[in-house]
Amino acid sequence: MPLTVSQAILDRAANGEISTQDADRFRKFVARCNDELMTHPVITDNRFCRWFATGRADREVVTHFIVQFSVFSNLFLIAQLLKTINAGSLEGMRASKEILANEIGVMFNKPGPDHVDDPEREGDPDIVSIQGSVDGGTFRFRAAHFEWLLSMGEVLGLGFNDMGKRRHGSPATLFFCDQLAAIYGSEDPNIAEGASFAVENWAAAGFWKQLVAGLDAFRKRENLDLPLAFFTWHDRIEDQHAGHVMDELEELYFTDGFDEEKFLWGGREMLDGVQAFWVGLDEFRIAAAYEGD
Ligand SMILES: [Fe+2]
């Protein structure tokens, strides 16, 4: 779905807050984002996810997929920490810390269904909130996203030392994780912001739903008690986040020192990295199908 310039910027131009030239410049920039980023195949045509959603993945492919995802989930912490350290403002640092702290197990503190009487269920991704802030939130080991993946792995016969380490990553997965650290975690805020923007649009492209559909079909067919909440939780949070992407882009664009070329370069490079991850998974499932014949 192409990005559209929000009404807010037109209003700001109309009431003189920004010049019509600035509004025009921004409009052209959004058009470039559409041409140069939103057309990337990882956003428009993710073959692995499209195939996975049909529910045809067998145990070997699902197991490989979960292991690769667990490596990404753990190594993402490095990229997110770099992004936090390299943030260009205190607000940026806090926004990055929100994600980092939440990843490792600090729950968002919005009062709601995650406040449960049953302590056994605290940190359960089925009920953990997707809104609020980690500021004042409770830390639970069990609320770490990696632990949600561990509980999936357990059902598939994977132990703690079978998942999440660099040594478990395929070359494609490791390339993706290293690009995350280098670009998403870049010291240059323009490059890092371009990468962030790319990652957000990739995540909003609907792949979580495809993964949930495929995993649900798999667990029913195999009659497995496979918890899907790692995936359903991320799908829920993406749905609510997608609406903010344009506001964030607008704010960034009018910040001093914004560099359009670096931003787009960071975005493209990051999308190529993301693409490598999915192509790696796609190649594995194709090879597994041939071996199975
Ligand atoms: Fe996560």
Side-chain angles (χ1 to χ4, degrees), residues 5-278:
V5 177
S6 70
Q7 187 57 41
I9 191 107
L10 304 173
D11 293 345
R12 282 171 70 190
N15 65 30
E17 230 183 287
I18 54 167
S19 67
T20 44
Q21 288 96 315
D22 278 349
D24 254 9
R25 274 199 307 127
F26 183 65
R27 223 192 311 257
K28 283 187 188 128
F29 170 64
V30 172
R32 280 194 77 189
C33 289
N34 276 327
D35 286 350
E36 297 176 33
L37 301 178
M38 300 303 283
T39 52
H40 196 285
V42 79
I43 293 178
T44 60
D45 181 33
N46 187 327
R47 285 176 50 195
F48 177 81
C49 290
R50 196 153 29 88
W51 170 82
F52 196 84
T54 65
R56 281 178 288 168
D58 63 11
R59 201 181 175 106
E60 183 190 6
V61 171
V62 171
T63 303
H64 177 77
F65 164 75
I66 295 296
V67 171
Q68 297 312 305
F69 227 92
S70 73
V71 173
F72 157 51
S73 182
N74 257 349
L75 297 192
F76 174 69
L77 297 176
I78 298 173
Q80 193 61 42
L81 179 59
L82 287 170
K83 190 173 167 58
T84 305
I85 293 168
N86 293 326
S89 66
L90 183 58
E91 297 80 56
M93 176 175 262
R94 288 180 174 183
S96 283
K97 253 181 216 172
E98 285 275 3
I99 297 172
L100 182 62
N102 182 251
E103 269 305 313
I104 63 170
V106 184
M107 298 181 289
F108 296 133
N109 69 359
K110 178 156 185 295
D114 58 316
H115 287 242
V116 285
D117 297 333
D118 178 3
E120 281 288 302
R121 291 209 73 189
E122 265 199 296
D124 183 335
D126 273 330
I127 48 175
V128 164
S129 173
I130 55 161
Q131 285 176 316
S133 168
V134 296
D135 200 44
T138 308
F139 171 81
R140 292 279 177 237
F141 286 120
R142 273 183 307 209
H145 298 190
F146 181 70
E147 294 210 14
W148 300 344
L149 281 173
L150 279 180
S151 64
M152 291 186 86
E154 201 182 315
V155 176
L156 297 166
L158 298 165
F160 181 81
N161 278 305
D162 299 320
M163 298 174 73
K165 305 282 196 284
R166 195 173 170 91
R167 66 173 182 272
H168 302 125
S170 71
T173 300
L174 296 181
F175 174 74
F176 169 43
C177 294
D178 291 343
Q179 288 295 82
L180 271 172
I183 305 169
Y184 179 85
S186 171
E187 282 183 47
D188 186 318
N190 283 297
I191 292 174
E193 290 297 348
S196 254
F197 179 77
V199 165
E200 279 165 15
N201 281 295
W202 158 54
F207 78 88
W208 291 109
K209 287 188 201 331
Q210 292 173 311
L211 299 179
V212 169
L215 288 166
D216 192 42
F218 166 76
R219 76 170 171 179
K220 283 180 181 145
R221 196 175 61 243
E222 298 271 318
N223 208 2
L224 286 171
D225 194 13
L226 189 68
L228 302 189
F230 172 90
F231 293 93
T232 52
W233 187 90
H234 284 91
D235 179 45
R236 280 194 288 142
I237 202 160
E238 267 334 311
D239 268 356
Q240 67 140 22
H241 190 224
H244 307 304
V245 168
M246 207 55 202
D247 300 340
E248 286 165 11
L249 188 64
E250 194 186 304
E251 197 184 316
L252 185 73
Y253 188 77
F254 292 107
T255 304
D256 279 348
F258 178 74
D259 184 322
E260 193 166 322
E261 298 307 325
K262 282 184 177 177
F263 178 94
L264 289 166
W265 182 85
R268 278 191 305 267
E269 285 288 298
M270 195 64 253
L271 289 174
D272 289 347
V274 176
Q275 171 83 341
F277 175 68
W278 294 110

